[in-house]
């Protein structure tokens, strides 16, 4: 009878350890870590800032490229040529959105697509800044800017889904960040354009794209390391009281499973004290099948 009771305890302890390990390890089924707790909320806030920067650059550049072509002393384009320059940007922007579909269908990693888009956008901004006196360079780099910025927003959401759940609350971060960027960035670019001159548009574009690259690097480090970059923000992050940045859902689920396993073990022990040896083995087998 004592030997059978030890079997019951061992089986219950093994089930408890297994449940704890399952609760502690969260991934999406493909080996990618899932962010929870404070780390997840910091990740979403940084991602909202990234979309703020991206949408601000897209709208601001498209809003002032016409005035840039007309007022640039090296170009002095006519209104028709400047309008065609704006149409080139938007046309290649639409082409970039279309080309992103077969790339995503071929299972190109979203992180690789994001890095390529940001690198091309930085090259285009530097080209517009350095070769501002060349019409051909301005046309080429404006089109490259459009095609590189095209797929950043959808690819960014697809990349973020690898590391965290994108629900309605997370989408709210993206929409709010994009809306703030659409309001603030073009206004700031307009003040610089009128106060400093046309060249400020390209300087601002390079600075904004560089800021976006820095934010993407921070997001990548946070997603891979699953560590909060700014400590535990207890006032801002739901679920931040959990040590290590883990969310409360998995921990509460693991605790409930552990309590349920302990109650089952105590019940089995009471049954073992009152039953005959044959009945103990039968109770142990039934409890083991229930635990599994």
């Amino acid at each position: 009878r004592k030997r059978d009771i030890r079997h019951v305890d061992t089986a219950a302890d093994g089930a408890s350890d297994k449940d704890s390990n399952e609760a502690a390890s969260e991934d999406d089924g493909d080996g990618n870590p899932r962010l929870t707790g404070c780390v997840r909320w910091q990740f979403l806030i940084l991602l909202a800032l990234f979309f703020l920067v991206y949408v601000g650059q897209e709208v601001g550049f498209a809003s002032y490229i016409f005035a840039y072509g007309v007022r640039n002393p090296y170009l002095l384009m006519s209104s028709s040529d400047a309008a065609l320059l704006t149409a080139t940007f938007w046309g290649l922007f639409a082409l970039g959105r279309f080309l992103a579909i077969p790339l995503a269908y071929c299972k190109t990693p979203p992180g690789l697509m994001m890095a390529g888009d940001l690198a091309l956008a930085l090259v285009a901004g530097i080209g517009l800044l350095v070769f501002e006196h060349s019409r051909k360079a301005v046309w080429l780099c404006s089109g490259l800017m459009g095609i590189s910025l095209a797929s950043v927003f959808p690819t960014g959401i697809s990349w973020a889904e690898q590391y965290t759940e994108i629900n309605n609350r997370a989408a709210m971060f993206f929409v709010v960040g994009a809306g703030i960027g659409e309001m603030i960035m073009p206004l700031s670019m307009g003040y610089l354009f009128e106060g400093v001159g046309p060249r400020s548009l390209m300087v601002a574009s390079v600075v904004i794209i560089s800021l976006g690259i820095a934010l993407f690097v921070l997001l990548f480090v946070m997603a891979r390391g699953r560590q909060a970059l700014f400590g535990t923000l207890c006032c801002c992050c739901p679920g931040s009281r959990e040590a290590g940045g883990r969310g409360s859902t998995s921990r509460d689920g693991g605790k409930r499973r552990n309590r349920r396993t302990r109650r089952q073990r105590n019940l089995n022990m009471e049954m073992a004290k009152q039953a005959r040896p044959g009945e103990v083995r039968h109770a142990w087998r039934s409890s083991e099948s229930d635990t599994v």
Side-chain angles (χ1 to χ4, degrees), residues 81-99:
D81 290 342
L84 188 58
L85 181 64
T86 305
T88 301
F89 170 80
W90 284 118
L92 288 178
F93 184 91
L95 179 63
R97 284 279 171 96
F98 178 78
L99 293 177

Side-chain angles (χ1 to χ4, degrees), residues 48-125:
L49 292 176
F50 174 80
F51 285 133
L52 183 152
V53 169
Y54 156 71
V55 174
Q57 168 61 20
E58 174 193 324
V59 177
F61 185 87
S63 300
Y64 294 103
I65 188 62
F66 178 90
Y68 177 82
V70 172
R71 297 178 57 176
N72 189 338
Y74 299 104
L75 301 177
L76 296 177
M77 292 182 177
S78 62
S79 297
S80 59
D81 290 342
L84 188 58
L85 181 64
T86 305
T88 301
F89 170 80
W90 284 118
L92 288 178
F93 184 91
L95 179 63
R97 284 279 171 96
F98 178 78
L99 293 177
I101 297 174
L103 286 176
Y105 184 77
C106 295
K107 296 185 178 180
T108 304
L112 182 61
M113 292 180 63
M114 287 275 289
D117 290 339
L118 294 174
L120 288 177
L122 183 61
V123 170

